[in-house]
Amino acid sequence: MTGIDNDIREAVDAFIPPMSEEYNDMIEGAVSELKQRCTQRNKPVKSAFKPLMSAAAILVALILSSAILFGAHPALAAEMPVVSDIVYAAAAQREANAADCERIEKLLNDAVYSLAVCDYDAASRCFRENSMNERENYLAAAYLNHLLTRREAVPDDANAGKLEISEIQAEQKAFRFTVHAKLSLTAKDGASADTEECTVRLWKNTDGIHIEGIEMQSEAYCEYVKAHEKTFGAVPESGASFDMLPIDNGCLSFSALRGEGRNGEYLKQLLLELESVSASDEEKAVRLNAINILLKEAEQEMTPDILSAEETASELMYRYWLGKNTGEVCDFSDIMERNEETDLFFRDALLNVEDVELGISKPLVSVKKGTADILETFEDTGDIIRARFHVQTDITDGISLGVGEEIILTLRKDAAGFTVIGFDRDVGDGHYTCDLKPAASRYKAEGYSWQEAGELSYEELHARLLRDAEWLASHNPGN
């Protein structure tokens, strides 16, 4: 009988992980008590059945100890066939503890960020095995990237902003968690923007917590999925190419700019990216067709007026930056009228040159005219156009190879083209946005005319530049 008992004990040791001395004492006590009860309550039986009775006692003790062990540590059962189903079915649902909630929040932030910026190697480490490749997770990844890059149709503005988990509620049942989370989108200018809700399923084993599925909840997500599958076809249940997502979202974002002026150069860049993507010929053919359709539409929309307006915007900012190369403010009189709506631009152009004259910044090495795109049209009466432009100017200063900026222009259509009659910026960190515009608004509120407000704003900033130049000279006497 001793040999059989030893065999059974070895099987027990192989079945469950090593237990503490307390658990071993509990098993020995249970076996001993069961044997005593059998001796007292039952008639003697043939010795051939005693090993079976001993095995039954040990199995009973095993079940009892396993229930305690897996009840206290359900993650141990997560990867054990049959046992995992039993433990999960028997477990009660409860609120996740603080430590798990903290780990889950960090995990979700890592996953959301990685998916949004298309770092799929990092994202895969947040998921269980190959679950990231499943349809719902692929579409969640596509939508998260879309949230971060929407309304952006030029590569320089991609991935501007920030997505992060702002709130979670987690419930646990054995080794699985269900999390209801809110995502907060912060725009590239730092302002708080939209929030999104999602339900996340997670799985915990002895290695840690892993994501099984992310299900986005908003109507905007549903609309996005419809648009994506209408354009590129149904997403398979698993195995779709994540390398396609930046191209897909580039096409969808560009398509959303319909009626606001679209530059085909961006689509041509997408075509170049498509050539290098690792995907099937069938998947590439779908994207190629979608891009060619958008190219054709964009070419039809690029009327002479739009081209002329964009040309005017790129010429304006070329001359603005050229002053920092030559040391002299350029003449803008042939393309820009000086009035209440443009006065601060002229003063900004002067300060831009004075930065170099006073030694606060170095002169630009070279300046070349770049390109401009209309991002958004606010007004178009036929004679007057007011629109937001993205202007890219080719400059070199020893480090940078270009500057991209957003400006708002009001243009009057003339016989020879367009004249700028209004200028504004609402993003950026230059003199105009950070200094001139706020100061002029303050002086106007105090009762000064726009001419006086502009002059006082310039003098205030000019005096500060002189102080900065004096401080620099005193601390860098050799320069």
Side-chain angles (χ1 to χ4, degrees), residues 106-150:
K106 182 182 184 306
L107 176 69
L108 293 185
N109 269 316
D110 290 346
V112 165
Y113 173 80
S114 299
L115 292 173
V117 300
C118 302
D119 186 354
Y120 299 120
D121 286 338
S124 65
R125 293 192 286 271
C126 300
F127 283 79
R128 178 185 177 185
E129 298 171 346
N130 296 319
S131 61
M132 194 178 89
N133 295 316
E134 295 176 1
R135 181 178 184 273
E136 66 173 347
N137 295 327
Y138 178 88
L139 288 171
Y143 185 62
L144 290 171
N145 177 251
H146 163 73
L147 288 178
L148 204 60
T149 59
R150 62 183 171 179

Side-chain angles (χ1 to χ4, degrees), residues 261-420:
R262 304 184 291 180
N263 190 340
E265 292 302 316
Y266 176 66
L267 293 173
K268 293 175 183 177
Q269 181 62 37
L270 286 184
L271 286 175
L272 293 176
E273 293 178 18
L274 182 62
E275 292 180 4
S276 62
V277 168
S278 176
S280 68
D281 291 342
E282 183 179 353
E283 287 179 302
K284 286 188 174 184
V286 172
R287 273 72 182 178
L288 179 63
N289 182 62
I291 294 172
N292 283 331
I293 290 173
L294 290 172
L295 264 174
K296 185 175 181 180
E297 292 175 353
E299 290 170 357
Q300 294 172 347
E301 292 169 1
M302 297 303 291
T303 64
D305 284 353
I306 292 294
L307 291 172
S308 182
E310 292 178 340
E311 178 74 15
T312 302
S314 62
E315 178 68 24
L316 180 71
M317 299 317 297
Y318 162 69
R319 297 187 193 184
Y320 172 85
W321 289 108
L322 186 61
K324 205 162 186 171
N325 169 252
T326 63
E328 297 181 0
V329 179
C330 287
D331 179 16
F332 297 96
S333 60
D334 61 324
I335 59 172
M336 190 176 209
E337 181 181 284
R338 187 156 192 167
N339 56 38
E340 180 177 0
E341 303 300 325
T342 61
D343 180 62
L344 293 182
F345 171 85
F346 286 94
R347 300 186 188 278
D348 183 29
L350 176 57
L351 289 166
N352 197 39
V353 172
E354 289 180 343
D355 276 343
V356 176
E357 290 179 342
L358 295 171
I360 296 173
S361 61
K362 294 182 179 180
L364 297 177
V365 176
S366 66
V367 181
K368 294 181 180 180
K369 186 175 177 179
T371 60
D373 301 309
I374 293 180
L375 300 178
E376 187 176 5
T377 301
F378 303 111
E379 178 184 0
D380 187 354
T381 65
D383 296 326
I384 301 293
I385 294 177
R386 183 170 178 269
R388 183 189 302 276
F389 293 78
H390 178 274
V391 184
Q392 183 76 22
T393 306
D394 297 326
I395 68 169
T396 55
D397 61 1
I399 300 176
S400 300
L401 297 177
V403 58
E405 53 198 325
E406 286 188 15
I407 60 174
I408 298 173
L409 298 183
T410 304
L411 303 120
R412 182 183 64 228
K413 188 175 182 181
D414 302 324
F418 283 93
T419 299
V420 180

